[in-house]
Amino acid sequence: MKKLIAPSILSANFSKLGDEVRAVEAAGCDWIHVDVMDGHFVPNITIGPLVVEALRQVTKLPIDVHLMIENPDKFIPDFIKAGANWVSVHVEEGYHLDRSLNLIRDLGAHPSIAINPATPLSAIRSVLSLCDMVLLMTVNPGFGGQKFISYCKDKIIELKKEITSKKLSTLIEIDGGVNTNNIGDLSGLGVDVFVAGSAIFGSASYKKTIEEMKKSIG
Ligand code: DX5
Ligand code: ZN
């Protein structure tokens, strides 16, 4: 499958969010990554379904919603109704992960499990076949602009092995600290979807940065 770039709007200019999304779409990105934070699961608060609904009007690209919230089941229907195509639920928060993943699929979106750097992959093993993607956090969730945590490379390798050995088609998405310098190496480990916030929205030319990233991931 073609490898994908998903700019995280967390680092966009929120005062002109629609224009920012149009700009990264025009610059050639593949998905729009939306970070939803509730101030409980992570020490930051961002946006809710209303913003997803508004963004649905300005882009045709798949919207990739990353839920960093308590009680995800309560809000999953609202986000899908608003236009989310992919929904990631954290294994650390989803007490009923099986139910959450099935709910996402039943409502017509792609289910994904998100997992923090310090959480071992064994936590998601039993439900791997229920999801279309695993979102490996490569920084501690909550903020953009952090440094890639290097031990996460081992988790990418381990997860890729497991997906291959089980003959699954689950995508691997990484989120946090991805930039034009490290994206090539990370791609070589088997990553399919690259979230990048500050590296894209903090750059002078979104087009140049996305083109450079695409060249490095082949
Ligand atoms: C962090 C978010 C990320 C964040 C990535 O909790 O999940 O999506 O925006 O930002 P960068 O690419 O700047 O590390
Ligand atoms: Zn994210």
Side-chain angles (χ1 to χ4, degrees):
M1 179 198 120
K2 190 185 129 205
K3 297 189 176 229
L4 307 172
I5 304 287
S8 158
I9 60 164
L10 188 61
S11 293
N13 181 338
F14 273 50
S15 71
K16 48 170 190 169
L17 200 49
D19 292 345
E20 290 276 71
V21 167
R22 284 189 200 98
V24 282
E25 181 168 1
C29 77
D30 303 288
W31 290 3
I32 301 296
H33 184 83
V34 177
D35 289 305
V36 178
M37 307 185 186
D38 67 351
H40 294 279
F41 179 63
V42 285
N44 197 3
I45 299 178
T46 55
I47 59 177
L50 277 179
V51 174
V52 172
E53 196 181 324
L55 293 180
R56 187 69 289 169
Q57 308 306 311
V58 305
T59 182
K60 290 203 164 43
L61 293 178
I63 296 182
D64 174 31
V65 169
H66 177 190
L67 295 179
M68 287 163 274
I69 60 173
E70 288 184 354
N71 258 323
D73 289 7
K74 189 173 165 197
F75 298 99
I76 284 166
D78 292 344
F79 280 101
I80 295 175
K81 217 164 137 198
N85 304 94
W86 291 78
V87 180
S88 297
V89 180
H90 268 267
V91 59
E92 300 84 4
E93 186 49 52
Y95 300 121
H96 305 286
L97 197 54
D98 178 284
R99 179 184 289 146
S100 309
L101 297 170
N102 282 311
L103 175 65
I104 295 166
R105 198 179 292 286
D106 287 349
L107 293 175
H110 293 283
S112 161
I113 306 170
I115 180 164
N116 282 338
T119 306
L121 283 176
S122 56
I124 65 169
R125 194 154 288 143
S126 53
V127 281
L128 195 55
S129 63
L130 296 182
C131 65
D132 291 341
M133 182 167 81
V134 174
L135 185 169
L136 283 180
M137 284 306 303
T138 44
V139 298
N140 290 302
F143 303 95
Q146 303 180 80
K147 195 173 172 292
F148 183 93
I149 297 174
S150 62
Y151 66 73
C152 292
K153 286 186 191 171
D154 295 338
K155 287 176 84 179
I156 301 172
I157 296 167
E158 193 188 332
L159 179 61
K160 183 71 189 173
K161 256 193 206 154
E162 182 149 359
I163 289 169
T164 308
S165 75
K166 288 185 172 164
K167 296 189 169 51
L168 297 170
S169 50
T170 324
L171 302 181
I172 300 178
E173 178 177 58
I174 57 169
D175 187 3
V178 175
N179 55 47
T180 50
N181 295 324
N182 61 13
I183 197 167
D185 287 349
L186 296 168
S187 177
L189 304 180
V191 176
D192 303 289
V193 187
F194 300 85
V195 176
S198 51
I200 292 175
F201 286 104
S203 70
S205 162
Y206 301 167
K207 195 168 163 54
K208 263 196 193 150
T209 305
I210 291 171
E211 275 173 8
E212 200 179 328
M213 288 178 161
K214 288 203 157 178
K215 227 168 139 189
S216 305
I217 60 182

